[in-house]
Amino acid sequence: MKILSTEGLRKFFPIKAGVFLQVVGYVRAMQSVTMEISKGETIGIVGESGCGKSTLGRTIVKIYEPTGGRIIYHDDKGNEYDITKGLARNVRSKFRRDVQMIFQNPFDSLDPRMTVRDIIKEPIEAHNLLSKDEIDDYVGELLMKVGMYPEYAQRYPHEFSGGQRQRIAIARSISVSPRLIICDEPTSALDVSVQSQIINLLQELRDEIKMSYIFISHNLDVVHHMSDRIMVMYLGNVVETAGAKELFDYPAHPYTKALMASIPNWDPQERKLQNIKLEGEPPSPINPPPGCPFHPRCPYKMDICSKEMPDSFQVSESHSAACWLHEREDVVGQSG
Ligand SMILES: Nc1ncnc2c1ncn2[C@@H]1O[C@H](COP(=O)(O)OP(=O)(O)OP(=O)(O)O)[C@@H](O)[C@H]1O
Ligand SMILES: [Mg+2]
């Protein structure tokens, strides 16, 4: 059962300059993202800093207005709504409840003036889910669910470590029983020692509550561990999508191969892949190169690559790569 899909989703940020703040250009943070996520599924999103991962997450939850494309929300009765359009209030509220987001930095994302209790109960009250007498018990239950004591409800965020604050943020996000949580680098601001505890907690909750995750990270190991499917982004575009195992065993796009080659302990010999080195920085999203966005750094660059943007070619069932090397079926397999 589908929960959410996007079609050609795009987000450009205007660059303003001069006394009259005229628009002089755009940061093309997200060029075109088409994806879908179903019940219970975790999709990992990977790619270098600045490739548009957070922009995708934030556009889906409507922190940002999309510049183009559509976001389709599928409710639990199978109805479809284009949430980029104006919506009836009840649908908007249902969407807000169904799709939650956890941010990278739990030091910014929790209001320092609110108690833990108020932080967690805010969405429950906003959606009118419980009576006043029931809320306190429920907050206590949620705190236990995320591995904290119910008594912590009276304290303030500054009394807790980063890992504990992220647990509070998780308790808040699951309080309304969402169907999908977008986790934007939920552990990268935390000490290495607590990162795996938060990952384990997210995994346990997913299995228990049967939620879906869009899991954003540039830690490939973590994404591999968490995800059913993985989407690789480069300069605002999706360059490859495949099942997690398939992507790691048979990466098709040269950029994905380069990303994998950067993983410590990765053994290119074992996977019969060339060890592609990723050199230089990605180009600026203000002035992206024509054709394939990766061509200036790609060791397999052909004439067409600097001229035309490749379509997303099917490499095998449910595995696609936006790379001219995979235009024809007979090229498939070279990488494997
Ligand atoms: N609010 C904004 N205004 C202008 N430009 C923005 C804004 N948010 C992001 N950008 C730009 O859009 C591009 C994509 O940014 P985004 O934060 O989505 O990348 P990311 O993949 O999440 O990177 P990271 O791994 O560092 O978190 C970057 O060039 C960034 O500078
Ligand atoms: Mg980000």
Side-chain angles (χ1 to χ4, degrees), residues 53-54 104 184-185 216:
K53 305 181 295 295
S54 297
Q104 173 172 3
D184 188 0
E185 309 257 11
I216 299 171

Side-chain angles (χ1 to χ4, degrees), residues 221-241:
D221 276 337
V222 171
V223 171
H224 182 220
H225 177 72
M226 282 292 288
S227 314
D228 302 306
R229 271 193 302 141
I230 297 176
M231 237 168 71
V232 183
M233 287 184 72
Y234 187 78
L235 212 65
N237 294 280
V238 178
V239 295
E240 185 162 1
T241 309

Side-chain angles (χ1 to χ4, degrees), residues 227-267:
S227 314
D228 302 306
R229 271 193 302 141
I230 297 176
M231 237 168 71
V232 183
M233 287 184 72
Y234 187 78
L235 212 65
N237 294 280
V238 178
V239 295
E240 185 162 1
T241 309
K245 186 171 185 326
E246 165 98 8
L247 189 90
F248 274 73
D249 287 348
Y250 305 105
H253 197 287
Y255 176 62
T256 312
K257 293 182 189 182
L259 271 186
M260 304 219 159
S262 67
I263 306 176
N265 307 326
W266 180 81
D267 184 355

Side-chain angles (χ1 to χ4, degrees), residues 100 109-111 113-130 135-136 138-139 142 168 171-173 175-176:
Q100 297 290 319
S109 64
L110 304 178
D111 189 331
R113 293 157 306 181
M114 287 166 79
T115 61
V116 169
R117 175 177 179 275
D118 290 341
I119 289 170
I120 296 178
K121 77 174 190 179
E122 196 179 44
I124 309 168
E125 282 181 342
H127 291 281
N128 251 325
L129 298 182
L130 291 174
I135 285 185
D136 279 352
Y138 184 53
V139 168
L142 286 167
I168 296 166
R172 175 184 157 99
S173 71
S175 68
V176 291

Side-chain angles (χ1 to χ4, degrees), residues 13 27 29 47-56 64 104 184-185 218 285:
F13 295 102
V27 180
E48 280 162 293
S49 184
C51 70
K53 305 181 295 295
S54 297
T55 302
L56 169 63
Y64 297 150
Q104 173 172 3
D184 188 0
E185 309 257 11
H218 45 242

Side-chain angles (χ1 to χ4, degrees), residues 79-240:
N79 301 309
E80 289 182 18
Y81 303 95
D82 180 351
I83 63 150
T84 48
K85 301 230 169 78
L87 286 178
R89 199 191 210 170
N90 62 333
V91 179
R92 208 167 52 216
S93 154
K94 225 166 147 186
F95 173 77
R96 287 234 173 93
R97 182 179 161 184
D98 262 359
V99 183
Q100 297 290 319
M101 186 154 179
I102 299 170
F103 297 89
Q104 173 172 3
N105 195 336
F107 294 87
D108 294 344
S109 64
L110 304 178
D111 189 331
R113 293 157 306 181
M114 287 166 79
T115 61
V116 169
R117 175 177 179 275
D118 290 341
I119 289 170
I120 296 178
K121 77 174 190 179
E122 196 179 44
I124 309 168
E125 282 181 342
H127 291 281
N128 251 325
L129 298 182
L130 291 174
S131 70
K132 280 212 161 23
D133 331 334
E134 294 167 314
I135 285 185
D136 279 352
D137 282 348
Y138 184 53
V139 168
E141 263 173 51
L142 286 167
L143 280 169
M144 285 201 286
K145 218 172 221 171
V146 298
M148 294 178 83
Y149 296 113
E151 299 83 67
Y152 288 176
Q154 287 127 45
R155 300 202 193 168
Y156 287 87
H158 74 262
E159 300 176 55
F160 297 100
S161 69
Q164 287 173 315
R165 287 186 210 195
Q166 203 57 303
R167 287 177 193 270
I168 296 166
I170 293 170
R172 175 184 157 99
S173 71
I174 61 169
S175 68
V176 291
S177 310
R179 290 159 68 217
L180 170 64
I181 301 185
I182 299 174
C183 308
D184 188 0
E185 309 257 11
T187 62
S188 58
L190 307 178
D191 287 347
V192 176
S193 57
V194 296
Q195 288 184 356
S196 56
Q197 295 171 12
I198 297 295
I199 296 296
N200 290 344
L201 172 65
L202 287 169
Q203 241 173 343
E204 282 164 27
L205 291 171
R206 174 186 61 192
D207 297 343
E208 189 186 326
I209 317 177
K210 309 269 180 285
M211 290 179 292
S212 305
Y213 289 142
I214 292 179
F215 192 87
I216 299 171
S217 175
H218 45 242
N219 185 330
L220 286 166
D221 276 337
V222 171
V223 171
H224 182 220
H225 177 72
M226 282 292 288
S227 314
D228 302 306
R229 271 193 302 141
I230 297 176
M231 237 168 71
V232 183
M233 287 184 72
Y234 187 78
L235 212 65
N237 294 280
V238 178
V239 295
E240 185 162 1

